[in-house]
Amino acid sequence: MTDNTLADKFLRYVGQTSPFAPSLEVDRAEGSWLFSADGTRYLDFISGIAVTNVGHCHPRVTRAVQQQVSRYAHTMVYGEHIQAPQVHLAEKIASVAPAGLDCVYFLTTGAETNDAALKLAVKRTGRRRFVAFRDAYHGDTAGALSCFGSAHFRDQFPGLLADVIFLPFGDSDALSAIDDTIAAILIEPVQGEGGIRVPGPDYLPALRRRCDATGALLIFDEVQTGFGRTGSWFAAQTFGVTPDLITMAKGMGAGYPLAGILAPQELIYHFAAEPAFSHITTFGGHPVSCAAGLAAMEVIEQEDLLENCRAQGEWLLQQAGELPFDHIKDVRGIGLMIGIEMTDAQTARKVIESARARGLIIESNLLNEAVIRLSPPLNISRGECVLAVEHLRAAMEHVQA
Ligand code: PLP
Protein backbone atom coordinates (compact mmCIF):
# COMPACT_ATOMS: atom_id res chain seq x y z
CA MET A 1 0.00 0.00 0.00
CA THR A 2 1.40 3.40 -0.86
CA ASP A 3 0.15 6.98 -0.60
CA ASN A 4 -2.20 6.12 2.22
CA THR A 5 -0.40 6.67 5.48
CA LEU A 6 0.25 10.14 6.83
CA ALA A 7 3.98 9.49 6.28
CA ASP A 8 3.34 8.73 2.59
CA LYS A 9 1.28 11.88 2.22
CA PHE A 10 3.91 13.90 4.10
CA LEU A 11 6.52 12.85 1.57
CA ARG A 12 4.13 13.29 -1.35
CA TYR A 13 2.39 16.60 -0.60
CA VAL A 14 4.59 18.52 1.84
CA GLY A 15 7.64 20.20 0.29
CA GLN A 16 10.81 18.60 1.59
CA THR A 17 14.11 20.16 2.57
CA SER A 18 16.21 17.00 2.23
CA PRO A 19 15.84 13.48 0.86
CA PHE A 20 16.28 11.96 4.35
CA ALA A 21 13.67 13.42 6.72
CA PRO A 22 13.37 11.20 9.82
CA SER A 23 9.56 11.36 9.40
CA LEU A 24 8.77 11.10 13.11
CA GLU A 25 5.01 11.51 13.33
CA VAL A 26 4.28 13.75 16.32
CA ASP A 27 1.16 13.02 18.26
CA ARG A 28 1.69 15.43 21.16
CA ALA A 29 4.46 17.08 23.16
CA GLU A 30 4.78 18.04 26.80
CA GLY A 31 7.70 19.44 28.77
CA SER A 32 10.90 17.82 27.47
CA TRP A 33 9.02 14.98 25.80
CA LEU A 34 7.66 14.23 22.36
CA PHE A 35 5.11 11.46 21.87
CA SER A 36 4.90 9.90 18.43
CA ALA A 37 1.80 8.51 16.79
CA ASP A 38 3.03 4.93 17.29
CA GLY A 39 3.11 5.45 21.07
CA THR A 40 6.87 5.94 21.50
CA ARG A 41 8.09 8.72 23.76
CA TYR A 42 11.24 10.67 23.05
CA LEU A 43 13.33 12.91 25.26
CA ASP A 44 13.69 16.07 23.20
CA PHE A 45 17.28 17.24 23.48
CA ILE A 46 17.15 19.79 20.67
CA SER A 47 13.96 21.81 21.45
CA GLY A 48 13.12 22.32 17.78
CA ILE A 49 16.63 23.80 17.61
CA ALA A 50 16.62 26.21 20.53
CA VAL A 51 12.96 27.17 20.18
CA THR A 52 10.94 25.59 23.01
CA ASN A 53 13.10 27.04 25.76
CA VAL A 54 10.49 26.44 28.48
CA GLY A 55 9.57 23.03 27.11
CA HIS A 56 6.57 21.96 25.08
CA CYS A 57 3.13 23.23 26.05
CA HIS A 58 4.16 24.87 29.29
CA PRO A 59 0.79 25.47 31.01
CA ARG A 60 1.45 29.19 31.45
CA VAL A 61 2.35 29.63 27.80
CA THR A 62 -0.65 27.59 26.65
CA ARG A 63 -2.98 29.60 28.90
CA ALA A 64 -1.62 32.91 27.60
CA VAL A 65 -2.09 31.73 24.01
CA GLN A 66 -5.63 30.55 24.66
CA GLN A 67 -6.57 33.82 26.34
CA GLN A 68 -5.12 35.88 23.50
CA VAL A 69 -6.71 33.74 20.78
CA SER A 70 -10.10 34.27 22.34
CA ARG A 71 -9.64 38.09 22.31
CA TYR A 72 -8.09 38.70 18.88
CA ALA A 73 -5.45 37.21 16.60
CA HIS A 74 -4.45 39.42 13.69
CA THR A 75 -6.06 42.83 13.24
CA MET A 76 -3.71 44.86 11.03
CA VAL A 77 -0.20 44.81 9.58
CA TYR A 78 2.48 45.29 12.23
CA GLY A 79 2.92 48.81 13.52
CA GLU A 80 -0.54 50.21 12.85
CA HIS A 81 -2.65 49.20 15.85
CA ILE A 82 -1.77 49.21 19.53
CA GLN A 83 -1.77 45.57 20.58
CA ALA A 84 -1.15 45.07 24.29
CA PRO A 85 0.83 41.78 24.03
CA GLN A 86 3.41 43.49 21.77
CA VAL A 87 3.78 46.47 24.06
CA HIS A 88 4.13 44.34 27.19
CA LEU A 89 6.63 41.99 25.57
CA ALA A 90 8.76 44.82 24.16
CA GLU A 91 8.84 46.50 27.57
CA LYS A 92 9.77 43.21 29.24
CA ILE A 93 12.60 42.52 26.77
CA ALA A 94 13.94 46.06 27.22
CA SER A 95 13.94 45.53 31.00
CA VAL A 96 16.30 42.54 30.81
CA ALA A 97 18.38 43.65 27.79
CA PRO A 98 21.89 45.11 27.86
CA ALA A 99 21.73 48.81 28.78
CA GLY A 100 20.77 51.07 25.88
CA LEU A 101 18.99 48.40 23.84
CA ASP A 102 15.52 49.56 24.71
CA CYS A 103 13.23 49.17 21.69
CA VAL A 104 11.96 46.12 19.78
CA TYR A 105 11.03 46.07 16.11
CA PHE A 106 8.87 42.97 15.70
CA LEU A 107 9.14 40.56 12.79
CA THR A 108 8.39 36.87 12.21
CA THR A 109 11.52 34.86 11.39
CA GLY A 110 15.21 34.98 12.15
CA ALA A 111 16.28 35.34 8.53
CA GLU A 112 13.88 38.22 7.93
CA THR A 113 15.18 39.89 11.07
CA ASN A 114 18.77 39.67 9.93
CA ASP A 115 17.77 41.14 6.55
CA ALA A 116 16.03 44.01 8.31
CA ALA A 117 19.05 44.62 10.57
CA LEU A 118 21.34 44.86 7.52
CA LYS A 119 18.95 47.38 5.96
CA LEU A 120 18.96 49.41 9.14
CA ALA A 121 22.77 49.45 9.09
CA VAL A 122 22.80 50.73 5.50
CA LYS A 123 20.31 53.46 6.36
CA ARG A 124 22.30 54.47 9.42
CA THR A 125 25.81 54.47 7.93
CA GLY A 126 25.20 55.14 4.24
CA ARG A 127 27.63 52.25 3.58
CA ARG A 128 26.78 49.07 1.69
CA ARG A 129 29.37 46.43 2.57
CA PHE A 130 29.18 43.90 5.37
CA VAL A 131 31.42 41.55 7.29
CA ALA A 132 30.29 38.05 8.23
CA PHE A 133 32.11 34.87 9.26
CA ARG A 134 33.07 31.54 7.82
CA ASP A 135 30.65 28.80 8.85
CA ALA A 136 28.05 31.36 9.95
CA TYR A 137 24.37 30.71 9.47
CA HIS A 138 21.88 33.57 9.57
CA GLY A 139 18.93 32.19 7.59
CA ASP A 140 17.95 31.85 3.95
CA THR A 141 16.40 35.11 2.77
CA ALA A 142 18.59 37.15 0.44
CA GLY A 143 20.33 39.36 3.00
CA ALA A 144 20.85 36.56 5.50
CA LEU A 145 21.98 34.25 2.69
CA SER A 146 24.56 36.84 1.65
CA CYS A 147 26.13 36.38 5.09
CA PHE A 148 25.95 32.56 5.02
CA GLY A 149 29.51 31.45 5.71
CA SER A 150 29.40 28.57 3.25
CA ALA A 151 30.09 29.07 -0.45
CA HIS A 152 28.40 25.71 -1.08
CA PHE A 153 25.02 27.12 -0.05
CA ARG A 154 25.60 30.71 -1.11
CA ASP A 155 27.24 30.82 -4.48
CA GLN A 156 24.35 29.42 -6.51
CA PHE A 157 22.55 32.76 -6.10
CA PRO A 158 25.10 35.43 -7.09
CA GLY A 159 22.58 37.99 -8.38
CA LEU A 160 20.78 38.06 -5.04
CA LEU A 161 23.72 38.61 -2.78
CA ALA A 162 25.05 41.66 -0.99
CA ASP A 163 28.73 42.63 -0.81
CA VAL A 164 30.10 40.61 2.11
CA ILE A 165 33.63 39.92 3.33
CA PHE A 166 34.04 36.65 5.27
CA LEU A 167 36.47 36.44 8.17
CA PRO A 168 37.55 33.41 10.21
CA PHE A 169 35.41 33.21 13.36
CA GLY A 170 37.30 33.79 16.59
CA ASP A 171 40.50 35.16 15.02
CA SER A 172 41.25 38.61 16.47
CA ASP A 173 44.11 39.22 14.01
CA ALA A 174 41.68 39.08 11.09
CA LEU A 175 39.60 41.95 12.47
CA SER A 176 41.91 44.50 10.82
CA ALA A 177 39.97 43.76 7.59
CA ILE A 178 37.10 45.79 9.05
CA ASP A 179 37.43 49.36 7.80
CA ASP A 180 35.32 52.47 7.33
CA THR A 181 33.59 51.10 4.22
CA ILE A 182 31.76 48.49 6.31
CA ALA A 183 28.15 49.18 7.30
CA ALA A 184 27.84 46.30 9.76
CA ILE A 185 29.35 43.13 11.12
CA LEU A 186 26.83 40.31 11.50
CA ILE A 187 27.97 37.65 13.94
CA GLU A 188 26.55 34.85 16.06
CA PRO A 189 28.22 35.30 19.47
CA VAL A 190 28.33 31.50 19.62
CA GLN A 191 28.20 29.83 16.23
CA GLY A 192 25.33 27.37 16.15
CA GLU A 193 25.09 25.66 12.76
CA GLY A 194 28.87 26.03 12.35
CA GLY A 195 29.26 23.41 15.09
CA ILE A 196 28.72 25.11 18.49
CA ARG A 197 31.84 27.26 18.43
CA VAL A 198 32.41 29.46 21.45
CA PRO A 199 34.83 32.38 20.98
CA GLY A 200 37.62 33.08 23.45
CA PRO A 201 36.89 35.75 26.09
CA ASP A 202 38.86 38.49 24.30
CA TYR A 203 37.35 38.07 20.86
CA LEU A 204 33.98 39.82 21.07
CA PRO A 205 35.45 42.75 23.07
CA ALA A 206 38.11 43.13 20.34
CA LEU A 207 35.39 43.09 17.70
CA ARG A 208 33.45 45.77 19.62
CA ARG A 209 36.57 47.97 19.71
CA ARG A 210 37.15 47.52 15.99
CA CYS A 211 33.56 48.52 15.25
CA ASP A 212 33.91 51.60 17.45
CA ALA A 213 37.10 52.56 15.62
CA THR A 214 35.57 52.25 12.14
CA GLY A 215 31.96 53.30 12.72
CA ALA A 216 30.62 49.92 11.58
CA LEU A 217 27.55 48.68 13.45
CA LEU A 218 27.90 45.48 15.45
CA ILE A 219 24.94 43.12 15.03
CA PHE A 220 24.70 40.08 17.27
CA ASP A 221 22.55 37.39 15.72
CA GLU A 222 21.06 35.92 18.92
CA VAL A 223 18.46 33.86 17.11
CA GLN A 224 19.84 30.73 18.80
CA THR A 225 21.66 32.21 21.79
CA GLY A 226 18.90 34.59 22.94
CA PHE A 227 16.29 34.09 25.65
CA GLY A 228 18.49 32.28 28.09
CA ARG A 229 20.27 29.62 26.05
CA THR A 230 23.78 30.59 27.18
CA GLY A 231 22.74 31.15 30.80
CA SER A 232 22.00 34.89 30.51
CA TRP A 233 19.05 36.51 28.75
CA PHE A 234 21.40 37.31 25.87
CA ALA A 235 24.86 36.05 24.99
CA ALA A 236 25.84 39.73 24.88
CA GLN A 237 25.56 39.62 28.67
CA THR A 238 27.35 36.26 28.95
CA PHE A 239 30.32 37.78 27.11
CA GLY A 240 29.98 41.30 28.56
CA VAL A 241 29.80 43.00 25.15
CA THR A 242 26.94 45.25 24.06
CA PRO A 243 26.34 45.29 20.31
CA ASP A 244 24.46 48.03 18.45
CA LEU A 245 21.67 45.64 17.52
CA ILE A 246 20.55 42.18 18.55
CA THR A 247 18.46 40.03 16.24
CA MET A 248 16.10 37.59 17.95
CA ALA A 249 13.77 34.75 16.92
CA LYS A 250 13.43 31.05 17.82
CA GLY A 251 13.10 31.04 21.66
CA MET A 252 11.48 34.48 21.60
CA GLY A 253 8.04 33.04 20.83
CA ALA A 254 8.41 29.84 22.90
CA GLY A 255 7.19 27.73 19.97
CA TYR A 256 5.13 30.38 18.16
CA PRO A 257 6.54 32.35 15.20
CA LEU A 258 8.10 35.56 16.44
CA ALA A 259 11.25 37.55 15.83
CA GLY A 260 12.58 41.03 16.28
CA ILE A 261 15.41 43.53 16.32
CA LEU A 262 16.45 44.89 19.71
CA ALA A 263 18.23 48.25 19.46
CA PRO A 264 18.16 51.84 20.73
CA GLN A 265 14.94 53.55 19.75
CA GLU A 266 16.70 56.21 17.69
CA LEU A 267 18.31 53.51 15.55
CA ILE A 268 15.07 51.65 14.92
CA TYR A 269 13.45 54.96 14.00
CA HIS A 270 15.26 54.79 10.64
CA PHE A 271 12.50 52.43 9.50
CA ALA A 272 9.93 55.16 10.13
CA ALA A 273 11.71 57.94 8.25
CA GLU A 274 13.12 58.77 4.81
CA PRO A 275 10.94 57.13 3.70
CA ALA A 276 8.41 56.02 6.28
CA PHE A 277 7.58 52.30 5.98
CA SER A 278 11.19 51.41 5.08
CA HIS A 279 10.58 47.87 6.28
CA ILE A 280 7.08 46.59 6.79
CA THR A 281 5.67 43.19 7.57
CA THR A 282 2.20 41.74 7.92
CA PHE A 283 2.61 39.19 10.68
CA GLY A 284 5.52 40.71 12.63
CA GLY A 285 4.82 40.67 16.36
CA HIS A 286 1.75 38.48 16.05
CA PRO A 287 -0.20 39.09 19.27
CA VAL A 288 -0.65 35.39 20.01
CA SER A 289 3.10 34.81 19.65
CA CYS A 290 3.83 37.87 21.78
CA ALA A 291 1.51 36.58 24.52
CA ALA A 292 3.40 33.26 24.40
CA GLY A 293 6.77 35.01 24.46
CA LEU A 294 5.86 37.14 27.45
CA ALA A 295 4.54 34.13 29.37
CA ALA A 296 7.76 32.24 28.59
CA MET A 297 9.89 35.11 29.89
CA GLU A 298 7.89 35.11 33.11
CA VAL A 299 8.43 31.35 33.41
CA ILE A 300 12.17 31.80 32.89
CA GLU A 301 12.24 34.33 35.72
CA GLN A 302 9.90 32.60 38.14
CA GLU A 303 11.39 29.13 37.67
CA ASP A 304 14.96 30.46 37.81
CA LEU A 305 15.77 28.92 34.45
CA LEU A 306 18.88 30.97 33.69
CA GLU A 307 20.45 29.37 36.74
CA ASN A 308 19.09 25.93 35.76
CA CYS A 309 20.53 26.41 32.28
CA ARG A 310 23.99 27.12 33.67
CA ALA A 311 23.84 24.26 36.21
CA GLN A 312 22.54 21.55 33.85
CA GLY A 313 24.76 22.84 31.06
CA GLU A 314 27.92 22.54 33.17
CA TRP A 315 26.92 19.06 34.30
CA LEU A 316 26.15 17.89 30.77
CA LEU A 317 29.39 19.33 29.42
CA GLN A 318 31.37 17.52 32.07
CA GLN A 319 29.48 14.23 31.51
CA ALA A 320 29.87 14.50 27.75
CA GLY A 321 33.60 15.01 28.24
CA GLU A 322 33.78 11.69 30.12
CA LEU A 323 31.92 9.56 27.56
CA PRO A 324 34.14 6.57 26.73
CA PHE A 325 33.92 6.70 22.94
CA ASP A 326 36.99 6.58 20.72
CA HIS A 327 35.39 8.75 18.04
CA ILE A 328 34.91 11.86 20.20
CA LYS A 329 37.26 14.59 19.03
CA ASP A 330 36.07 17.50 21.15
CA VAL A 331 33.34 18.52 23.57
CA ARG A 332 32.45 22.20 23.93
CA GLY A 333 29.66 24.61 24.63
CA ILE A 334 28.15 27.16 26.93
CA GLY A 335 24.91 26.99 28.90
CA LEU A 336 22.59 24.52 27.19
CA MET A 337 24.24 24.88 23.81
CA ILE A 338 26.61 21.93 23.69
CA GLY A 339 28.48 20.28 20.84
CA ILE A 340 30.10 16.84 20.81
CA GLU A 341 32.42 16.68 17.82
CA MET A 342 33.00 13.24 16.32
CA THR A 343 35.87 12.23 14.12
CA ASP A 344 33.53 12.18 11.11
CA ALA A 345 29.96 12.93 10.04
CA GLN A 346 29.05 9.28 9.41
CA THR A 347 29.83 8.29 12.97
CA ALA A 348 27.84 11.25 14.27
CA ARG A 349 24.86 10.18 12.14
CA LYS A 350 25.07 6.60 13.46
CA VAL A 351 25.10 7.85 17.06
CA ILE A 352 22.15 10.18 16.38
CA GLU A 353 20.12 7.34 14.88
CA SER A 354 21.02 4.88 17.59
CA ALA A 355 20.04 7.48 20.22
CA ARG A 356 16.70 8.03 18.51
CA ALA A 357 16.04 4.29 18.53
CA ARG A 358 16.54 4.48 22.31
CA GLY A 359 14.19 7.44 22.71
CA LEU A 360 16.59 10.39 22.70
CA ILE A 361 16.38 13.10 20.06
CA ILE A 362 19.68 14.80 19.25
CA GLU A 363 20.91 16.24 15.96
CA SER A 364 23.97 17.44 14.10
CA ASN A 365 24.57 20.92 12.65
CA LEU A 366 23.95 22.21 9.16
CA LEU A 367 27.54 23.18 8.43
CA ASN A 368 29.40 20.73 10.59
CA GLU A 369 27.68 17.36 10.49
CA ALA A 370 30.36 15.71 12.60
CA VAL A 371 29.15 17.74 15.60
CA ILE A 372 26.23 16.43 17.64
CA ARG A 373 24.30 19.24 19.31
CA LEU A 374 22.56 19.10 22.66
CA SER A 375 20.10 21.95 23.24
CA PRO A 376 17.39 20.72 25.59
CA PRO A 377 14.78 23.07 27.09
CA LEU A 378 16.12 25.39 29.79
CA ASN A 379 13.85 23.71 32.35
CA ILE A 380 15.35 20.27 31.74
CA SER A 381 15.67 18.39 35.02
CA ARG A 382 18.80 16.66 36.32
CA GLY A 383 16.95 13.34 36.08
CA GLU A 384 16.26 13.95 32.38
CA CYS A 385 19.90 14.89 31.83
CA VAL A 386 21.00 11.65 33.53
CA LEU A 387 18.69 9.69 31.23
CA ALA A 388 20.01 11.50 28.16
CA VAL A 389 23.61 10.69 29.09
CA GLU A 390 22.66 7.02 29.63
CA HIS A 391 21.06 6.91 26.17
CA LEU A 392 24.07 8.64 24.63
CA ARG A 393 26.45 6.21 26.26
CA ALA A 394 24.38 3.23 25.07
CA ALA A 395 24.16 4.68 21.55
CA MET A 396 27.93 5.14 21.42
CA GLU A 397 28.56 1.61 22.75
CA HIS A 398 26.27 0.29 20.03
CA VAL A 399 28.15 2.21 17.33
CA GLN A 400 31.54 1.19 18.77
CA ALA A 401 30.63 -2.52 18.78
N1 PLP B 1 20.27 32.92 12.75
C1 PLP B 1 20.68 31.83 13.40
C2 PLP B 1 21.88 31.91 14.31
C3 PLP B 1 20.02 30.61 13.25
O1 PLP B 1 20.45 29.53 13.90
C4 PLP B 1 18.90 30.56 12.40
C5 PLP B 1 18.17 29.31 12.21
O2 PLP B 1 18.61 28.24 12.53
C6 PLP B 1 18.50 31.73 11.73
C7 PLP B 1 19.21 32.89 11.94
C8 PLP B 1 17.33 31.72 10.81
O3 PLP B 1 16.16 31.78 11.54
P1 PLP B 1 14.78 31.39 10.82
O4 PLP B 1 14.83 29.93 10.53
O5 PLP B 1 13.73 31.76 11.82
O6 PLP B 1 14.71 32.22 9.60
Side-chain angles (χ1 to χ4, degrees), residues 342-364:
M342 302 285 148
T343 44
D344 59 286
Q346 267 177 328
T347 306
R349 183 49 49 195
K350 283 186 198 158
V351 172
I352 290 165
E353 274 162 22
S354 177
R356 187 179 302 128
R358 288 168 167 73
L360 174 69
I361 298 185
I362 48 179
E363 253 313 331
S364 63

Side-chain angles (χ1 to χ4, degrees), residues 49 109-112 114 137-140 188 193 221 223-224 249-250:
I49 311 198
T109 70
E112 177 197 18
N114 285 325
Y137 180 66
H138 299 288
D140 279 315
E188 300 158 87
E193 298 310 314
D221 174 342
V223 168
Q224 277 199 41
K250 288 191 181 279

